[in-house]
Amino acid sequence: AAAAAAAAAAGGSSSSSSVAAATQHAAQVLMCSYVMKQAKPGSNTWNRFFLAVQDLPQQEGSMAGHTLCLFESEKSVEMGDKPLAATQLMGAEARKYEPNVFARVKKAWHFGVKSSDGVSQEQVYEAETQAEQQAWVSCLRTCGAYVHATVPFRHALDVSVKEGYLEKIGKKETTKGLFGGWKTRYCILLFNPHRIEYFATAADAKQKKILGKICLDSDTAVSSFKGTYKVMEDAFSVTPKGGRRYVFAASDAAEVADWISLIDEVKISHETYGIRRATRRMTVAPQTLAEEDSDNEDIPELSPQQKRDVAEKEKEIQAEAAERIPFLQEAQAYLGEEQSKMENQRKQVLAEAKRLNCLLRVARKGAAQVSELEREVHALMAKVDQTKVSTKQMVLRIEDDKLSNINRKQDIAEREDALVDWEQQIAAREKERDRRDKLLVEFSYVVNKM
């Protein structure tokens, strides 16, 4: 129900892999749908599985509570098969990725889940729509997973502003057009230092296997690009001052606009970056700064006058930076305190969630006992009803016996009256017999005398 509400709030529409309604199986299914799963971190291989959040009952030797289960198909859930993989959501970590972070044919929406055991790697899944992605993230949060917030770049302490796969044109370009082929590159827009780095894959980005970089400053030209030769429809160009033009293509116009907007934001904050750079010159070894300055091959050689202007500008920036150092230190201290508070709050929330989960298990156990008691009460009530019926039957029989006894008493009284009559008749007959016997004796006496 919570997942369905989240999907409705996200404004999702039905699709072939839309979120299925909650159904009742051996374990309650809170949310389920078909998703694409990344074979392993950094891999371009994706496989289709049926993903479900189940509320598993308490069983010895198995997971219990809200669990993210992976099945081959929806039929496996209906048959009650064992999942291919399972992740306990209480205490797990989840994150929502921006579109086009992973190299895919079409624009897709990804989310990741990492177990709380500290050993398992993050599992990345692909939803078909943004609404489905939002519904999954909301369901994971509801089931106890900690969802990392996607914080947009808005302040100078950010490092990575945006990253994702883009198509990049080759180096060859003439007045007739572009003659290089399109190649997929994983691009990262950085704030400190101000530049765009591009890699072959996301895995290479983690290993720092950089293919190239583009320095950004206030003079860098960024605009949407409409070419005539082998140019994709949604593209944009980045041209540093005195450098060559770089052309990139994104999945759609909205993604192009997002890249252009964020690159412009980094350009606008270039002066602030100069202040931070001057601050680093006061605290970092010159050799380290020289290595950082030599990272970009696209910086043109400066003229002597430009170098003098830069030196004067750096002196001004250093003076201003010296005034701002206490403020920056205070801001960093405040940020550290806020991060500590957020971490403490996160731990408290996790502890509270675990406590609530324990209470929920106790409540479920108590509910099971209450259900058992209710069944026993129903059985006793049925026996009481049977006893009432048998009692009524016995009362009816007793009333019938009373009527029979009354009839019998009347019959006995009548018979007793008849017996009295018979006794009176017998007594009269005996008197008559005695009288006759007496007469007979008298008669015999008279006869004898005669």
Side-chain angles (χ1 to χ4, degrees), residues 399-415:
E399 291 179 353
D400 292 339
D401 292 340
K402 286 181 179 180
L403 293 175
S404 300
N405 290 334
I406 292 171
N407 294 331
R408 289 174 183 172
K409 287 180 178 180
Q410 291 177 354
D411 189 19
I412 290 171
E414 292 176 356
R415 290 184 179 182

Coordinates of all heavy atoms in Angstrom, one line a residue, residues 399-415:
E399 N -40.6 -31.8 30.3 CA -42.0 -31.3 30.3 C -42.9 -32.4 29.8 O -44.1 -32.6 30.3 CB -42.1 -30.1 29.4 CG -41.4 -28.8 30.0 CD -41.5 -27.6 29.1 OE1 -42.0 -27.8 28.0 OE2 -41.2 -26.5 29.6
D400 N -42.5 -33.1 28.8 CA -43.2 -34.3 28.3 C -43.4 -35.3 29.4 O -44.5 -35.9 29.5 CB -42.5 -34.9 27.0 CG -42.6 -34.0 25.9 OD1 -43.4 -33.0 25.8 OD2 -41.7 -34.1 24.9
D401 N -42.3 -35.6 30.1 CA -42.5 -36.6 31.2 C -43.5 -36.1 32.3 O -44.2 -36.9 32.9 CB -41.1 -36.8 31.9 CG -40.1 -37.5 30.9 OD1 -40.6 -38.1 29.9 OD2 -38.9 -37.4 31.1
K402 N -43.5 -34.8 32.6 CA -44.4 -34.2 33.6 C -45.9 -34.5 33.1 O -46.7 -34.9 33.9 CB -44.2 -32.8 33.8 CG -43.0 -32.4 34.6 CD -42.8 -30.9 34.8 CE -41.6 -30.6 35.6 NZ -41.4 -29.2 35.8
L403 N -46.1 -34.2 31.8 CA -47.5 -34.4 31.3 C -47.8 -35.9 31.4 O -49.0 -36.3 31.8 CB -47.5 -33.9 29.9 CG -47.4 -32.4 29.7 CD1 -47.4 -32.1 28.2 CD2 -48.6 -31.7 30.3
S404 N -46.9 -36.7 31.1 CA -47.1 -38.2 31.2 C -47.4 -38.6 32.6 O -48.3 -39.4 32.9 CB -45.9 -39.0 30.6 OG -45.7 -38.6 29.3
N405 N -46.6 -38.0 33.6 CA -46.9 -38.3 35.0 C -48.3 -37.9 35.4 O -48.9 -38.6 36.2 CB -45.8 -37.7 35.8 CG -44.4 -38.3 35.6 OD1 -44.4 -39.5 35.3 ND2 -43.4 -37.6 35.9
I406 N -48.7 -36.7 35.0 CA -50.0 -36.2 35.4 C -51.1 -37.2 34.9 O -52.1 -37.6 35.6 CB -50.3 -34.8 34.8 CG1 -49.3 -33.8 35.6 CG2 -51.7 -34.4 35.0 CD1 -49.3 -32.5 35.0
N407 N -50.9 -37.6 33.6 CA -51.9 -38.6 33.0 C -51.9 -39.9 33.8 O -52.9 -40.5 34.0 CB -51.6 -38.8 31.6 CG -51.8 -37.5 30.7 OD1 -52.6 -36.7 31.1 ND2 -51.1 -37.4 29.6
R408 N -50.7 -40.3 34.1 CA -50.6 -41.6 34.9 C -51.3 -41.4 36.3 O -51.9 -42.4 36.7 CB -49.1 -41.9 35.1 CG -48.5 -42.4 33.8 CD -47.0 -42.6 33.9 NE -46.4 -43.0 32.7 CZ -45.0 -43.1 32.5 NH1 -44.2 -42.8 33.6 NH2 -44.5 -43.4 31.4
K409 N -51.0 -40.3 37.0 CA -51.7 -40.1 38.3 C -53.2 -40.1 38.1 O -53.9 -40.7 39.0 CB -51.2 -38.8 38.9 CG -49.8 -38.8 39.4 CD -49.4 -37.4 39.9 CE -48.0 -37.5 40.5 NZ -47.6 -36.2 41.1
Q410 N -53.7 -39.5 37.1 CA -55.2 -39.5 36.9 C -55.7 -41.0 36.7 O -56.7 -41.4 37.2 CB -55.6 -38.6 35.7 CG -55.3 -37.1 36.0 CD -55.7 -36.3 34.8 OE1 -55.9 -36.8 33.7 NE2 -55.6 -35.0 34.9
D411 N -54.9 -41.7 35.9 CA -55.3 -43.1 35.6 C -55.2 -43.9 36.9 O -56.1 -44.8 37.1 CB -54.3 -43.7 34.6 CG -54.7 -45.0 34.1 OD1 -55.9 -45.4 34.2 OD2 -53.9 -45.7 33.5
I412 N -54.2 -43.7 37.7 CA -54.1 -44.4 39.0 C -55.3 -44.1 39.9 O -55.8 -45.0 40.6 CB -52.8 -44.1 39.7 CG1 -51.6 -44.7 38.9 CG2 -52.7 -44.6 41.1 CD1 -50.2 -44.3 39.3
A413 N -55.6 -42.7 39.9 CA -56.7 -42.3 40.8 C -58.0 -43.0 40.3 O -58.8 -43.5 41.2 CB -56.9 -40.8 40.8
E414 N -58.3 -43.1 39.1 CA -59.5 -43.7 38.5 C -59.4 -45.2 38.9 O -60.5 -45.8 39.3 CB -59.5 -43.5 37.0 CG -59.8 -42.1 36.6 CD -59.8 -41.9 35.1 OE1 -59.5 -42.9 34.4 OE2 -60.0 -40.8 34.6
R415 N -58.3 -45.8 38.7 CA -58.2 -47.3 39.0 C -58.4 -47.5 40.5 O -59.0 -48.5 41.0 CB -56.8 -47.8 38.6 CG -56.7 -47.9 37.1 CD -55.4 -48.5 36.7 NE -55.3 -48.5 35.2 CZ -54.2 -49.1 34.6 NH1 -53.2 -49.6 35.3 NH2 -54.2 -49.1 33.3

